[in-house]
């Protein structure tokens, strides 16, 4: 594999300037400018074939998802995405795969208004490492650690769809064609909630993106905020019709609470801000619903029709078996 | 593998503040501050087992090298290293491996005064992806693209040692114990030329780090600077006694010109700056020697005892076979 030729052919055309880019792909490193008024926000995530996607998956979707899952972390900080570096490990320089991957990358870069500023192509087992860069006005980033007892817990979008999409792929579920298309799309093409994250800067007390399942990620907020607890109303969990039609209540809760890869935002707001959430999010194209409250209990309790329910949830492990 | 536990145990202790770090590991993303007076410099490089290192290599060395090769790209830009994100893909969460890897990471972070600000641990075939961040005063970064005909070409350190170290590992070479230790160390523990890069900010017209072999990397400078050429004096190539004792002149040239993984700097300076290079580099702990001149020929010519020599060089391909 001739790294330079590959980079030149497929990735250099995608490196076309962008806000704050003094020098993009093509030198030892990129040179970037962060405005005085802003802080840099940085995250990194790797998708490995066999763990996060299937070897035979459409490379266009793989590229999209590799970008989206990173942008989702920026969204959870309330940051505006700016730049991306990409490291692709490939067993061989198969041109068809690369051109389809580059297509998905281009779609995602365009959709999220990102500039590709650095890259590496490496020979080895298929894997995609992305580092994503965003900016946020100084002091305005959303973090995990400022939830307070009594805060309302909200979630954007619907939960459990991606996990159900994966269950369809692994034949653990079956459904009709239109539900299947919807759920698979949610698994393969997650949408990072960038506009929602930005809109929440002045209202959310804490925020996280849901990559490992609502409960696992909510626990990060609760732990970082001082070993707090939560009371979750199972009847309030936002789920799609496609998923509801597919399973029993208990299965639905399992998907929604522990499913993983939703890439929705879970955030907390002070009690007096509860009624302003819908208005704040109006322009973002995504809705959020309250699903419970932060408590001092140190644990997460579940309610169904007002009564406590005990649930045993398995942790989300992508598709390790 | 429980990602959070691994991150907590081995990597969170390494995330201990650092210049400009508002928020390090432990949230969705890091929050970082670049001074108004500076630009951000960013690079990414992946090391895959079987391509860049052997599966049985000492994890401490692997971690060191994963950091050093990235820092080397920052050095080539004249940037001061600041931060690092790290994505490790591992077949299983083997604690012995991880603790030794974390040890090497700690050594490298300390040596280069870097803060670890983000990370991801992933299940899959062994591979390490690093993104390194540095800063440079506005407009002072060194690039590849400003070499001029007549400029002197310099190299730091000695060339070909790392490639010879690899040849020893793959039994393509043999030598005595002390030479072997030296050459293996050069392959396993490359030293990024950070202080040299910074010192060269006001004197070098172009700069690159030598990762793919002097000639391959020099070609990047020549091509980026407008399809220039170069005349290289083979007798001026800086080589170590350990390597010289090991091979014939022609083999020595092959190692020095095409060997790869030197992580020395190759840079150009205007003719009138030639005599200032040694002084500028004095405090950096590394020396540089002139090895030739930039020409308008569009090609690279070699001289030996003043006469043109033709050489057929194989491209450096890590250890693909």
């Amino acid at each position: 594999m001739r790294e330079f030729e590959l980079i030149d052919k497929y990735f250099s055309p995608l490196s076309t300037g962008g806000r704050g880019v003094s020098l993009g792909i093509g030198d030892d490193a990129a040179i970037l400018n962060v405005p005085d008024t802003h802080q840099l926000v940085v995250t990194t995530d790797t998708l490995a074939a066999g763990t996060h996607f299937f070897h035979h998956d459409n490379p266009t979707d793989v590229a999209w998802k590799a970008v989206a899952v990173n942008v989702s972390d920026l969204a959870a900080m309330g940051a505006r995405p700016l730049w991306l570096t990409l490291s692709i490990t490939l067993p061989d320089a198969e041109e068809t795969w690369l051109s389809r991957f580059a297509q998905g990358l281009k779609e995602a870069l365009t959709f999220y208004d990102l500039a590709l500023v650095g890259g590496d192509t490496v020979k080895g087992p298929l894997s995609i490492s992305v580092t994503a860069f965003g900016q946020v006005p100084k002091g305005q980033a959303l973090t995990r650690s400022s939830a307070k007892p009594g805060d309302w817990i909200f979630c954007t979008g619907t939960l459990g769809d991606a996990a159900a999409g994966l269950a369809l792929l692994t034949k653990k579920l079956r459904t009709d064609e239109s539900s299947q298309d919807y759920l698979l799309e949610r698994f393969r093409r997650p949408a990072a909630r960038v506009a929602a994250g930005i809109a929440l800067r002045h209202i959310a007390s804490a925020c996280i993106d849901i990559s490992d399942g609502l409960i696992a990620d909510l626990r990060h907020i609760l732990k970082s905020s001082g070993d707090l607890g939560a009371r979750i109303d199972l009847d309030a969990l936002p789920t799609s019709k496609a998923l509801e039609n597919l399973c029993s209540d208990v299965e639905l809760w399992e998907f929604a609470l522990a499913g993983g890869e939703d890439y929705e935002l879970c955030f907390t707001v002070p009690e007096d801000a509860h009624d302003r959430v819908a208005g704040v999010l109006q322009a973002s194209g995504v809705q959020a619903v309250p699903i419970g409250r932060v408590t001092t209990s140190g644990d997460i309790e579940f309610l169904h029709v007002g009564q406590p329910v005990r649930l045993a949830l398995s942790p989300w492990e992508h598709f390790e078996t």
Side-chain angles (χ1 to χ4, degrees), chain A:
Chain A
M1 178 186 312
R2 302 304 310 137
E3 178 181 337
F4 317 120
E5 292 162 21
L6 286 179
I7 291 175
D8 272 356
K9 182 160 178 189
Y10 290 105
F11 301 115
S12 296
L14 299 179
S15 176
T16 54
R19 277 162 304 164
V21 180
S22 282
L23 188 65
I25 281 182
D27 212 297
D28 290 290
I31 306 176
L32 306 165
N33 302 290
V34 181
D36 310 357
T37 47
H38 284 66
Q39 292 175 296
L40 181 69
V41 180
V42 172
T43 185
T44 190
D45 263 312
T46 295
L47 302 192
T51 302
H52 303 88
F53 62 94
F54 296 99
H55 285 85
H56 58 261
D57 274 353
N58 182 343
T60 311
D61 291 337
V62 172
W64 175 278
K65 191 160 178 174
V67 175
V69 304
N70 276 280
V71 172
S72 180
D73 281 320
L74 299 180
M77 306 295 287
R80 182 176 299 283
L82 290 174
W83 313 308
L84 202 81
T85 65
L86 172 76
S87 195
I88 310 181
T89 306
L90 278 174
D92 45 61
E94 215 224 289
E95 297 246 354
T96 314
W97 195 96
L98 272 168
S99 71
R100 293 169 71 197
F101 183 89
Q103 176 58 34
L105 182 60
K106 187 177 176 181
E107 288 171 20
L109 293 174
T110 305
F111 185 82
Y112 292 113
D113 193 15
L114 281 162
L116 182 68
V117 298
D120 191 20
T121 51
V122 169
K123 189 178 171 66
L126 184 58
S127 167
I128 319 293
S129 271
V130 168
T131 302
F133 305 71
Q135 67 183 35
V136 67
K138 278 183 181 166
Q140 292 184 24
L142 300 172
T143 65
R144 301 177 176 180
S145 56
S146 312
K148 295 276 181 302
D151 282 358
W152 282 94
I153 302 165
F154 279 76
C155 283
T156 61
T158 56
L159 301 177
D161 293 335
L166 174 57
L168 291 169
L169 285 176
T170 55
K171 315 280 184 205
K172 289 174 188 160
L173 276 182
R174 276 171 196 283
T175 184
D176 63 86
E177 200 172 322
S178 82
S179 290
Q180 171 152 332
D181 288 350
Y182 167 79
L183 295 168
L184 288 179
E185 184 78 0
R186 290 278 283 164
F187 177 65
R188 291 172 170 158
R189 292 259 180 168
R193 301 304 188 191
V194 172
I198 292 170
L200 291 168
R201 278 179 195 161
H202 296 291
I203 189 170
S205 50
C207 188
I208 195 167
D209 74 317
I210 306 175
S211 53
D212 297 295
L214 170 66
I215 294 306
D217 288 311
L218 176 59
R219 275 192 210 284
H220 291 308
I221 288 183
L222 299 173
K223 190 178 170 200
S224 307
S225 299
D227 292 316
L228 297 174
R231 191 174 302 115
I232 300 293
D233 181 1
L234 295 172
D235 308 309
L237 293 173
T239 46
S240 66
K241 284 278 167 289
L243 185 59
E244 289 162 14
N245 292 339
L246 208 64
C247 38
S248 70
D249 271 4
V250 172
E251 289 168 327
L252 191 71
W253 297 335
E254 172 91 13
F255 276 120
L257 296 170
E261 305 212 8
D262 292 310
Y263 299 106
E264 298 294 346
L265 298 181
C266 172
F267 59 95
T268 58
V269 299
E271 177 156 21
D272 62 8
H274 175 284
D275 295 346
R276 288 194 289 125
V277 170
V280 158
L281 289 181
Q282 197 155 26
S284 75
V286 62
Q287 292 187 312
V289 294
I291 59 163
R293 303 288 289 265
V294 178
T295 68
T296 53
S297 76
D299 209 351
I300 299 180
E301 303 149 80
F302 299 103
L303 297 181
H304 173 45
V305 290
Q307 298 300 312
V309 177
R310 296 194 70 83
L311 290 176
L313 300 168
S314 321
W316 174 250
E317 293 277 359
H318 305 290
F319 43 106
E320 304 169 37
T321 47

